[in-house]
Amino acid sequence: MALTVEEPEPGQFYWTLLEAHHADEASETLDYRVYRRAPQAQTSYSNAMAMGVLELKKISAAADTAGETD
């Protein structure tokens, strides 16, 4: 996963989570595809980054919980 922040309009910051995929079996090149995007803009880069990190933590926690066995 990769986290990026974009500013499509001045003062409108959106986080995007990207997921890496191999271009093909023989290649070591990775393509990145959008995994999830912010539903609403933030007013600063740092706020958008923090919100993206929180989303990444939620995904990680859900994956950890799903992988646990009793």
Side-chain angles (χ1 to χ4, degrees), residues 38-60:
Q40 62 187 27
Q42 298 296 313
T43 57
S44 71
Y45 178 93
S46 60
N47 284 351
M49 181 62 75
M51 297 300 288
V53 168
L54 285 175
E55 189 67 22
L56 193 53
K57 286 181 178 182
K58 286 181 195 175
I59 293 167
S60 179

Side-chain angles (χ1 to χ4, degrees), residues 10 14 34 62 69:
Y14 292 86
V34 173
T69 57

Side-chain angles (χ1 to χ4, degrees), residues 17-68:
L17 293 177
L18 304 169
E19 187 173 34
H21 293 273
H22 281 283
D24 59 50
E25 296 287 327
S27 175
E28 292 184 18
T29 303
L30 293 175
D31 289 330
Y32 286 89
R33 299 179 187 158
V34 173
Y35 181 76
R36 198 168 288 168
R37 286 192 171 130
Q40 62 187 27
Q42 298 296 313
T43 57
S44 71
Y45 178 93
S46 60
N47 284 351
M49 181 62 75
M51 297 300 288
V53 168
L54 285 175
E55 189 67 22
L56 193 53
K57 286 181 178 182
K58 286 181 195 175
I59 293 167
S60 179
D64 289 347
T65 301
E68 290 179 1

